[in-house]
PDB file of all heavy atoms in Angstrom:
ATOM      1  N   GLU M 729       0.842  -1.188   0.000  1.00 93.00           N
ATOM      2  CA  GLU M 729       0.000   0.000   0.000  1.00 93.00           C
ATOM      3  C   GLU M 729       0.877   1.238   0.000  1.00 93.00           C
ATOM      4  O   GLU M 729       2.017   1.208   0.466  1.00 93.00           O
ATOM      5  CB  GLU M 729      -0.908   0.008   1.231  1.00 93.00           C
ATOM      6  CG  GLU M 729      -1.903  -1.127   1.230  1.00 93.00           C
ATOM      7  CD  GLU M 729      -2.821  -1.087   2.437  1.00 93.00           C
ATOM      8  OE1 GLU M 729      -2.765  -0.123   3.222  1.00 93.00           O
ATOM      9  OE2 GLU M 729      -3.608  -2.036   2.597  1.00 93.00           O
ATOM     10  N   ALA M 730       0.315   2.339  -0.546  1.00 93.00           N
ATOM     11  CA  ALA M 730       1.046   3.607  -0.603  1.00 93.00           C
ATOM     12  C   ALA M 730       0.043   4.751  -0.700  1.00 93.00           C
ATOM     13  O   ALA M 730      -1.140   4.546  -0.979  1.00 93.00           O
ATOM     14  CB  ALA M 730       1.981   3.629  -1.807  1.00 93.00           C
ATOM     15  N   VAL M 731       0.547   5.949  -0.487  1.00 93.00           N
ATOM     16  CA  VAL M 731      -0.257   7.165  -0.622  1.00 93.00           C
ATOM     17  C   VAL M 731       0.128   7.808  -1.950  1.00 93.00           C
ATOM     18  O   VAL M 731       1.321   7.955  -2.258  1.00 93.00           O
ATOM     19  CB  VAL M 731       0.012   8.132   0.558  1.00 93.00           C
ATOM     20  CG1 VAL M 731      -0.733   9.435   0.356  1.00 93.00           C
ATOM     21  CG2 VAL M 731      -0.360   7.475   1.864  1.00 93.00           C
ATOM     22  N   LEU M 732      -0.874   8.189  -2.734  1.00 94.00           N
ATOM     23  CA  LEU M 732      -0.618   8.795  -4.039  1.00 94.00           C
ATOM     24  C   LEU M 732      -0.002  10.183  -3.885  1.00 94.00           C
ATOM     25  O   LEU M 732      -0.607  11.060  -3.246  1.00 94.00           O
ATOM     26  CB  LEU M 732      -1.912   8.918  -4.840  1.00 94.00           C
ATOM     27  CG  LEU M 732      -2.543   7.633  -5.353  1.00 94.00           C
ATOM     28  CD1 LEU M 732      -3.895   7.941  -5.981  1.00 94.00           C
ATOM     29  CD2 LEU M 732      -1.627   6.954  -6.341  1.00 94.00           C
ATOM     30  N   PRO M 733       1.161  10.429  -4.476  1.00 93.00           N
ATOM     31  CA  PRO M 733       1.742  11.766  -4.420  1.00 93.00           C
ATOM     32  C   PRO M 733       1.074  12.709  -5.421  1.00 93.00           C
ATOM     33  O   PRO M 733       1.126  13.924  -5.282  1.00 93.00           O
ATOM     34  CB  PRO M 733       3.200  11.541  -4.782  1.00 93.00           C
ATOM     35  CG  PRO M 733       3.198  10.308  -5.619  1.00 93.00           C
ATOM     36  CD  PRO M 733       2.062   9.473  -5.111  1.00 93.00           C
ATOM     37  N   GLU M 734       0.457  12.127  -6.434  1.00 93.00           N
ATOM     38  CA  GLU M 734      -0.263  12.897  -7.454  1.00 93.00           C
ATOM     39  C   GLU M 734      -1.507  12.112  -7.824  1.00 93.00           C
ATOM     40  O   GLU M 734      -1.562  10.898  -7.629  1.00 93.00           O
ATOM     41  CB  GLU M 734       0.625  13.160  -8.671  1.00 93.00           C
ATOM     42  CG  GLU M 734       1.155  11.904  -9.336  1.00 93.00           C
ATOM     43  CD  GLU M 734       2.164  12.194 -10.435  1.00 93.00           C
ATOM     44  OE1 GLU M 734       3.176  12.851 -10.161  1.00 93.00           O
ATOM     45  OE2 GLU M 734       1.909  11.756 -11.570  1.00 93.00           O
ATOM     46  N   PRO M 735      -2.534  12.763  -8.360  1.00 94.00           N
ATOM     47  CA  PRO M 735      -3.790  12.054  -8.641  1.00 94.00           C
ATOM     48  C   PRO M 735      -3.665  11.068  -9.809  1.00 94.00           C
ATOM     49  O   PRO M 735      -2.781  11.181 -10.650  1.00 94.00           O
ATOM     50  CB  PRO M 735      -4.761  13.184  -9.000  1.00 94.00           C
ATOM     51  CG  PRO M 735      -3.904  14.310  -9.446  1.00 94.00           C
ATOM     52  CD  PRO M 735      -2.611  14.187  -8.701  1.00 94.00           C
ATOM     53  N   ILE M 736      -4.579  10.114  -9.810  1.00 94.00           N
ATOM     54  CA  ILE M 736      -4.735   9.235 -10.966  1.00 94.00           C
ATOM     55  C   ILE M 736      -5.802   9.874 -11.834  1.00 94.00           C
ATOM     56  O   ILE M 736      -6.936  10.081 -11.393  1.00 94.00           O
ATOM     57  CB  ILE M 736      -5.169   7.810 -10.546  1.00 94.00           C
ATOM     58  CG1 ILE M 736      -4.118   7.155  -9.656  1.00 94.00           C
ATOM     59  CG2 ILE M 736      -5.439   6.951 -11.774  1.00 94.00           C
ATOM     60  CD1 ILE M 736      -4.521   5.772  -9.148  1.00 94.00           C
ATOM     61  N   ARG M 737      -5.425  10.217 -13.068  1.00 94.00           N
ATOM     62  CA  ARG M 737      -6.356  10.865 -14.006  1.00 94.00           C
ATOM     63  C   ARG M 737      -6.509   9.994 -15.245  1.00 94.00           C
ATOM     64  O   ARG M 737      -5.513   9.517 -15.784  1.00 94.00           O
ATOM     65  CB  ARG M 737      -5.818  12.238 -14.422  1.00 94.00           C
ATOM     66  CG  ARG M 737      -5.836  13.244 -13.304  1.00 94.00           C
ATOM     67  CD  ARG M 737      -5.510  14.634 -13.823  1.00 94.00           C
ATOM     68  NE  ARG M 737      -5.420  15.548 -12.711  1.00 94.00           N
ATOM     69  CZ  ARG M 737      -4.339  16.246 -12.400  1.00 94.00           C
ATOM     70  NH1 ARG M 737      -3.256  16.150 -13.127  1.00 94.00           N
ATOM     71  NH2 ARG M 737      -4.345  17.047 -11.361  1.00 94.00           N
ATOM     72  N   GLN M 738      -7.724   9.828 -15.668  1.00 94.00           N
ATOM     73  CA  GLN M 738      -8.047   9.015 -16.840  1.00 94.00           C
ATOM     74  C   GLN M 738      -7.447   7.617 -16.709  1.00 94.00           C
ATOM     75  O   GLN M 738      -6.968   7.025 -17.675  1.00 94.00           O
ATOM     76  CB  GLN M 738      -7.578   9.705 -18.124  1.00 94.00           C
ATOM     77  CG  GLN M 738      -8.266  11.023 -18.355  1.00 94.00           C
ATOM     78  CD  GLN M 738      -7.749  11.717 -19.603  1.00 94.00           C
ATOM     79  OE1 GLN M 738      -6.756  11.310 -20.198  1.00 94.00           O
ATOM     80  NE2 GLN M 738      -8.449  12.769 -19.997  1.00 94.00           N
ATOM     81  N   GLY M 739      -7.416   7.120 -15.474  1.00 93.00           N
ATOM     82  CA  GLY M 739      -6.995   5.749 -15.230  1.00 93.00           C
ATOM     83  C   GLY M 739      -5.505   5.526 -15.111  1.00 93.00           C
ATOM     84  O   GLY M 739      -5.078   4.386 -14.905  1.00 93.00           O
ATOM     85  N   THR M 740      -4.684   6.583 -15.247  1.00 94.00           N
ATOM     86  CA  THR M 740      -3.234   6.384 -15.157  1.00 94.00           C
ATOM     87  C   THR M 740      -2.600   7.406 -14.215  1.00 94.00           C
ATOM     88  O   THR M 740      -3.127   8.500 -14.015  1.00 94.00           O
ATOM     89  CB  THR M 740      -2.544   6.491 -16.533  1.00 94.00           C
ATOM     90  OG1 THR M 740      -2.743   7.800 -17.052  1.00 94.00           O
ATOM     91  CG2 THR M 740      -3.070   5.454 -17.507  1.00 94.00           C
ATOM     92  N   GLY M 741      -1.470   7.031 -13.683  1.00 94.00           N
ATOM     93  CA  GLY M 741      -0.716   7.913 -12.804  1.00 94.00           C
ATOM     94  C   GLY M 741       0.662   7.338 -12.553  1.00 94.00           C
ATOM     95  O   GLY M 741       1.111   6.426 -13.256  1.00 94.00           O
ATOM     96  N   ARG M 742       1.328   7.893 -11.525  1.00 94.00           N
ATOM     97  CA  ARG M 742       2.667   7.419 -11.177  1.00 94.00           C
ATOM     98  C   ARG M 742       2.755   7.265  -9.666  1.00 94.00           C
ATOM     99  O   ARG M 742       2.098   7.992  -8.915  1.00 94.00           O
ATOM    100  CB  ARG M 742       3.738   8.397 -11.646  1.00 94.00           C
ATOM    101  CG  ARG M 742       3.780   8.529 -13.167  1.00 94.00           C
ATOM    102  CD  ARG M 742       4.907   9.370 -13.642  1.00 94.00           C
ATOM    103  NE  ARG M 742       4.863  10.698 -13.005  1.00 94.00           N
ATOM    104  CZ  ARG M 742       5.758  11.630 -13.208  1.00 94.00           C
ATOM    105  NH1 ARG M 742       6.762  11.418 -14.010  1.00 94.00           N
ATOM    106  NH2 ARG M 742       5.663  12.805 -12.601  1.00 94.00           N
ATOM    107  N   LEU M 743       3.595   6.318  -9.259  1.00 93.00           N
ATOM    108  CA  LEU M 743       3.759   6.042  -7.839  1.00 93.00           C
ATOM    109  C   LEU M 743       5.179   5.536  -7.606  1.00 93.00           C
ATOM    110  O   LEU M 743       5.687   4.746  -8.396  1.00 93.00           O
ATOM    111  CB  LEU M 743       2.739   4.988  -7.401  1.00 93.00           C
ATOM    112  CG  LEU M 743       2.693   4.592  -5.941  1.00 93.00           C
ATOM    113  CD1 LEU M 743       2.352   5.799  -5.058  1.00 93.00           C
ATOM    114  CD2 LEU M 743       1.672   3.497  -5.730  1.00 93.00           C
ATOM    115  N   ARG M 744       5.796   5.984  -6.529  1.00 90.00           N
ATOM    116  CA  ARG M 744       7.161   5.563  -6.214  1.00 90.00           C
ATOM    117  C   ARG M 744       7.133   4.502  -5.114  1.00 90.00           C
ATOM    118  O   ARG M 744       6.524   4.687  -4.070  1.00 90.00           O
ATOM    119  CB  ARG M 744       7.999   6.750  -5.752  1.00 90.00           C
ATOM    120  CG  ARG M 744       9.454   6.369  -5.455  1.00 90.00           C
ATOM    121  CD  ARG M 744      10.323   7.566  -5.156  1.00 90.00           C
ATOM    122  NE  ARG M 744      10.444   8.485  -6.269  1.00 90.00           N
ATOM    123  CZ  ARG M 744      11.268   8.324  -7.310  1.00 90.00           C
ATOM    124  NH1 ARG M 744      12.037   7.269  -7.371  1.00 90.00           N
ATOM    125  NH2 ARG M 744      11.315   9.218  -8.267  1.00 90.00           N
ATOM    126  N   PHE M 745       7.784   3.377  -5.401  1.00 87.00           N
ATOM    127  CA  PHE M 745       8.050   2.359  -4.398  1.00 87.00           C
ATOM    128  C   PHE M 745       9.557   2.225  -4.293  1.00 87.00           C
ATOM    129  O   PHE M 745      10.237   1.978  -5.292  1.00 87.00           O
ATOM    130  CB  PHE M 745       7.450   0.997  -4.794  1.00 87.00           C
ATOM    131  CG  PHE M 745       5.993   0.868  -4.471  1.00 87.00           C
ATOM    132  CD1 PHE M 745       5.058   0.827  -5.492  1.00 87.00           C
ATOM    133  CD2 PHE M 745       5.560   0.775  -3.165  1.00 87.00           C
ATOM    134  CE1 PHE M 745       3.717   0.702  -5.207  1.00 87.00           C
ATOM    135  CE2 PHE M 745       4.221   0.649  -2.874  1.00 87.00           C
ATOM    136  CZ  PHE M 745       3.296   0.620  -3.898  1.00 87.00           C
ATOM    137  N   ASP M 746      10.067   2.410  -3.099  1.00 83.00           N
ATOM    138  CA  ASP M 746      11.503   2.348  -2.845  1.00 83.00           C
ATOM    139  C   ASP M 746      12.213   3.349  -3.751  1.00 83.00           C
ATOM    140  O   ASP M 746      11.955   4.528  -3.665  1.00 83.00           O
ATOM    141  CB  ASP M 746      12.022   0.921  -2.991  1.00 83.00           C
ATOM    142  CG  ASP M 746      11.300  -0.040  -2.045  1.00 83.00           C
ATOM    143  OD1 ASP M 746      11.002   0.375  -0.904  1.00 83.00           O
ATOM    144  OD2 ASP M 746      11.025  -1.183  -2.456  1.00 83.00           O
ATOM    145  N   ASP M 747      13.059   2.875  -4.664  1.00 84.00           N
ATOM    146  CA  ASP M 747      13.806   3.803  -5.518  1.00 84.00           C
ATOM    147  C   ASP M 747      13.326   3.788  -6.962  1.00 84.00           C
ATOM    148  O   ASP M 747      14.020   4.247  -7.849  1.00 84.00           O
ATOM    149  CB  ASP M 747      15.297   3.483  -5.453  1.00 84.00           C
ATOM    150  CG  ASP M 747      15.624   2.092  -5.977  1.00 84.00           C
ATOM    151  OD1 ASP M 747      14.686   1.296  -6.157  1.00 84.00           O
ATOM    152  OD2 ASP M 747      16.805   1.805  -6.205  1.00 84.00           O
ATOM    153  N   THR M 748      12.119   3.258  -7.198  1.00 86.00           N
ATOM    154  CA  THR M 748      11.618   3.128  -8.567  1.00 86.00           C
ATOM    155  C   THR M 748      10.288   3.861  -8.715  1.00 86.00           C
ATOM    156  O   THR M 748       9.397   3.714  -7.889  1.00 86.00           O
ATOM    157  CB  THR M 748      11.432   1.644  -8.932  1.00 86.00           C
ATOM    158  OG1 THR M 748      12.664   0.966  -8.709  1.00 86.00           O
ATOM    159  CG2 THR M 748      11.020   1.486 -10.385  1.00 86.00           C
ATOM    160  N   LEU M 749      10.172   4.611  -9.796  1.00 90.00           N
ATOM    161  CA  LEU M 749       8.924   5.299 -10.131  1.00 90.00           C
ATOM    162  C   LEU M 749       8.159   4.412 -11.109  1.00 90.00           C
ATOM    163  O   LEU M 749       8.659   4.090 -12.189  1.00 90.00           O
ATOM    164  CB  LEU M 749       9.223   6.664 -10.753  1.00 90.00           C
ATOM    165  CG  LEU M 749       8.021   7.554 -11.020  1.00 90.00           C
ATOM    166  CD1 LEU M 749       7.335   7.916  -9.699  1.00 90.00           C
ATOM    167  CD2 LEU M 749       8.453   8.818 -11.738  1.00 90.00           C
ATOM    168  N   TRP M 750       6.961   3.992 -10.705  1.00 92.00           N
ATOM    169  CA  TRP M 750       6.157   3.073 -11.499  1.00 92.00           C
ATOM    170  C   TRP M 750       4.980   3.804 -12.128  1.00 92.00           C
ATOM    171  O   TRP M 750       4.408   4.698 -11.537  1.00 92.00           O
ATOM    172  CB  TRP M 750       5.589   1.972 -10.601  1.00 92.00           C
ATOM    173  CG  TRP M 750       6.614   1.070 -10.016  1.00 92.00           C
ATOM    174  CD1 TRP M 750       7.283   1.248  -8.849  1.00 92.00           C
ATOM    175  CD2 TRP M 750       7.080  -0.152 -10.563  1.00 92.00           C
ATOM    176  NE1 TRP M 750       8.142   0.204  -8.630  1.00 92.00           N
ATOM    177  CE2 TRP M 750       8.031  -0.666  -9.676  1.00 92.00           C
ATOM    178  CE3 TRP M 750       6.788  -0.868 -11.720  1.00 92.00           C
ATOM    179  CZ2 TRP M 750       8.693  -1.862  -9.899  1.00 92.00           C
ATOM    180  CZ3 TRP M 750       7.440  -2.066 -11.943  1.00 92.00           C
ATOM    181  CH2 TRP M 750       8.387  -2.548 -11.045  1.00 92.00           C
ATOM    182  N   ARG M 751       4.611   3.364 -13.330  1.00 94.00           N
ATOM    183  CA  ARG M 751       3.345   3.790 -13.915  1.00 94.00           C
ATOM    184  C   ARG M 751       2.271   2.934 -13.276  1.00 94.00           C
ATOM    185  O   ARG M 751       2.458   1.746 -13.056  1.00 94.00           O
ATOM    186  CB  ARG M 751       3.349   3.579 -15.420  1.00 94.00           C
ATOM    187  CG  ARG M 751       4.210   4.598 -16.141  1.00 94.00           C
ATOM    188  CD  ARG M 751       4.108   4.508 -17.665  1.00 94.00           C
ATOM    189  NE  ARG M 751       2.762   4.263 -18.121  1.00 94.00           N
ATOM    190  CZ  ARG M 751       2.452   3.437 -19.120  1.00 94.00           C
ATOM    191  NH1 ARG M 751       3.388   2.795 -19.763  1.00 94.00           N
ATOM    192  NH2 ARG M 751       1.198   3.264 -19.492  1.00 94.00           N
ATOM    193  N   ILE M 752       1.128   3.556 -12.973  1.00 95.00           N
ATOM    194  CA  ILE M 752       0.034   2.818 -12.354  1.00 95.00           C
ATOM    195  C   ILE M 752      -1.247   3.020 -13.137  1.00 95.00           C
ATOM    196  O   ILE M 752      -1.419   4.016 -13.841  1.00 95.00           O
ATOM    197  CB  ILE M 752      -0.175   3.228 -10.872  1.00 95.00           C
ATOM    198  CG1 ILE M 752      -0.469   4.731 -10.749  1.00 95.00           C
ATOM    199  CG2 ILE M 752       1.024   2.840 -10.028  1.00 95.00           C
ATOM    200  CD1 ILE M 752      -0.859   5.155  -9.343  1.00 95.00           C
ATOM    201  N   GLU M 753      -2.136   2.048 -13.020  1.00 95.00           N
ATOM    202  CA  GLU M 753      -3.474   2.116 -13.609  1.00 95.00           C
ATOM    203  C   GLU M 753      -4.474   1.806 -12.516  1.00 95.00           C
ATOM    204  O   GLU M 753      -4.236   0.927 -11.688  1.00 95.00           O
ATOM    205  CB  GLU M 753      -3.634   1.097 -14.738  1.00 95.00           C
ATOM    206  CG  GLU M 753      -2.841   1.407 -15.970  1.00 95.00           C
ATOM    207  CD  GLU M 753      -3.049   0.361 -17.062  1.00 95.00           C
ATOM    208  OE1 GLU M 753      -3.638  -0.710 -16.776  1.00 95.00           O
ATOM    209  OE2 GLU M 753      -2.615   0.612 -18.183  1.00 95.00           O
ATOM    210  N   GLY M 754      -5.562   2.531 -12.519  1.00 94.00           N
ATOM    211  CA  GLY M 754      -6.604   2.305 -11.536  1.00 94.00           C
ATOM    212  C   GLY M 754      -7.690   3.348 -11.668  1.00 94.00           C
ATOM    213  O   GLY M 754      -7.677   4.171 -12.593  1.00 94.00           O
TER     214      GLY M 754
END
């Protein structure tokens, strides 16, 4: 689990886990 640093818009966004920035869908 994590807290979104920026919103998910149109089903996509970004999220950082450890030292990697991941693209996310939701």
Side-chain angles (χ1 to χ4, degrees):
E729 295 181 6
V731 175
L732 290 174
E734 58 187 57
I736 298 177
R737 291 189 185 120
Q738 298 178 350
T740 62
R742 296 186 304 178
L743 183 61
R744 182 173 297 279
F745 278 111
D746 302 322
D747 62 347
T748 305
L749 186 63
W750 294 88
R751 286 186 40 220
I752 58 173
E753 290 180 349

